[in-house]
Amino acid sequence: MRLRCAGAVLLALVCAQSANASTGYLARPEVRQFIEAMEAEHGLEAAELERVIGAAQYQPVVSRLIGPERPASATPPVRSYPKYRAKFLTRSRIAAGARFWDIHEADLRRAQAEYGVPPEVILGILGVETAFGQNTGSFRVVDSLTTIAFDGPRRQEYFRDELKELLLMARDLNIDPLTIKGSYAGAMGLPQFMPSSIRKYAVDFDGDGVIDLSGSTSDAIGSIAAYLKSFGWADGEPALVPVHLPPHSAADLVTGLERTHEVAALREMGVRFSVKRLPEGMCSVVELPTPGKPSRYMAGFGNFEAVTRYNRSTFYATAVLDLASAIREARNQVTASR
Ligand SMILES: [Ca+2]
């Protein structure tokens, strides 16, 4: 391709574009290696792999959205939990959650019975992820994953694994990978599962013989509950408990995602918990900052960690649980007025 284009700049541009569109990825040695490994290790047919990856389009917008690694020396940006929370805890999203609960009550009840995860927590995740299925993503997942796997600014290895999982998932489910849509990062369906999570944790909750997280709300509900249960969700235990820290101790005590504190040890240091009966096990200390005001602090227990396994962010998990409470409250008001 390059030889034929040599000489004429205009022609070269046209050739480069068509190379990107058709054979671009297939011409790359690391892509050939990936295809050979998929064939040798998983028995996928080379012709099928070439059809799919040969059709993959580089998406500059995906690379941009994934973004570069923040240099270690950079000053961390000023973070505001209230600002983050406000994006998800809107009146319309809370009302949509209460309506969704009404419509899908039977599935939510069954998910709680089977996995011990209450309806509002499943709804909190669905609400933050996709506003209950309204924004499930319009990127072709093969394009997103191939772009980051081979041209991404970071985490190429992780996304190569996810591309592999996508291809295996499509084979398992007997669907054409080129038809699968999702977020810029390759997350799919109402609950925005990555391919590896679909293969590992998703369940066919409506029992029609296929797992479909885009078309079946029941599968989406069951899969979220199954996922949280696999990461240790324990029925009836609080996830987050507000705490009061002694003065000037935050720098030492805040652990974010890491659950490394003994409750007794924290109490000895003067930490006060707002709830008497606490779950068993270690906890984290989470900071919820508000610029210009004192931060709030929470102790995160096992159920909080389960939600952070969905997305490794304390803001994310706290917003899911806040949205869950708000939906539960809205639901209680609706049922009380009936
Ligand atoms: Ca199903």
Side-chain angles (χ1 to χ4, degrees):
M1 190 58 88
R2 198 175 298 156
L3 274 177
R4 271 198 287 132
C5 288
V9 175
L10 252 184
L11 190 60
L13 273 174
V14 173
C15 283
Q17 269 181 1
S18 71
N20 257 346
S22 57
T23 57
Y25 278 110
L26 290 185
R28 306 251 302 260
E30 66 272 36
V31 176
R32 304 294 333 170
Q33 230 169 37
F34 176 84
I35 290 176
E36 277 160 29
M38 288 299 292
E39 198 185 1
E41 289 163 27
H42 302 285
L44 287 179
E45 281 177 31
E48 168 63 4
L49 290 164
E50 283 174 1
R51 179 187 75 84
V52 173
I53 295 175
Q57 307 262 344
Y58 172 70
Q59 296 291 347
V61 66
V62 167
S63 267
R64 229 181 10 256
L65 286 167
I66 282 291
E69 210 79 67
R70 192 160 56 85
S73 58
T75 330
V78 179
R79 303 187 75 215
S80 165
Y81 178 67
K83 204 171 155 193
Y84 180 88
R85 180 186 192 275
K87 285 193 285 186
F88 304 107
L89 274 94
T90 60
R91 203 176 288 177
S92 68
R93 204 173 296 212
I94 294 163
R99 273 200 307 279
F100 196 94
W101 192 331
D102 246 3
I103 298 166
H104 302 287
E105 190 177 2
D107 283 323
L108 289 163
R109 226 181 248 180
R110 192 157 55 88
Q112 181 167 28
E114 278 187 35
Y115 301 105
V117 182
E120 67 267 29
V121 173
I122 297 171
L123 294 169
I125 286 183
L126 281 170
V128 169
E129 290 292 341
T130 60
F132 309 101
Q134 280 177 55
N135 326 305
T136 57
S138 54
F139 289 89
R140 196 165 66 163
V141 173
V142 167
D143 292 342
S144 294
L145 295 180
T146 307
T147 295
I148 312 170
F150 298 106
D151 291 314
R154 61 194 177 98
R155 304 188 72 194
Q156 287 201 4
E157 205 172 312
Y158 167 78
F159 283 96
R160 271 184 212 188
D161 271 346
E162 289 298 336
L163 178 60
K164 177 184 91 180
E165 295 286 338
L166 177 83
L167 295 165
L168 295 173
M169 178 197 93
R171 177 184 65 179
D172 297 346
L173 298 175
N174 196 26
I175 46 179
D176 182 350
L178 293 173
T179 62
I180 303 171
K181 294 278 171 63
S183 76
Y184 70 89
M188 291 166 280
L190 278 92
Q192 295 284 280
F193 273 29
M194 291 300 284
S196 59
S197 293
I198 294 188
R199 292 192 70 223
K200 228 174 176 168
Y201 304 107
V203 295
D204 171 24
F205 206 51
D206 62 13
D208 69 349
V210 286
I211 289 170
D212 179 4
L213 301 186
S214 299
S216 164
T217 307
S218 177
D219 287 4
I221 288 169
S223 296
I224 291 172
Y227 187 95
L228 292 178
K229 171 84 181 169
S230 327
F231 285 100
W233 183 276
D235 197 6
E237 291 196 347
L240 274 177
V241 173
V243 286
H244 181 82
L245 305 186
H248 315 296
S249 65
D252 290 331
L253 294 181
V254 170
T255 57
L257 294 168
E258 306 303 323
R259 213 148 51 89
T260 50
H261 287 299
E262 298 273 6
V263 168
L266 285 178
R267 280 192 168 131
E268 256 170 47
M269 281 184 257
V271 175
R272 293 200 316 266
F273 292 80
S274 70
V275 168
K276 275 229 172 72
R277 202 192 66 80
L278 297 171
E280 299 276 317
M282 314 279 272
C283 68
S284 55
V285 172
V286 174
E287 178 174 15
L288 301 173
T290 305
K293 286 189 180 165
S295 292
R296 285 197 296 136
Y297 297 96
M298 312 288 263
F301 288 89
N303 284 353
F304 183 70
E305 184 178 333
V307 180
T308 66
R309 293 288 166 180
Y310 210 94
N311 188 332
R312 304 293 289 153
S313 151
T314 56
F315 276 20
Y316 169 86
T318 308
V320 161
L321 294 163
D322 281 353
L323 180 60
S325 306
I327 293 170
R328 159 70 75 181
E329 214 171 283
R331 160 92 178 167
N332 288 347
Q333 280 172 9
V334 172
T335 47
S337 65
R338 271 177 196 158

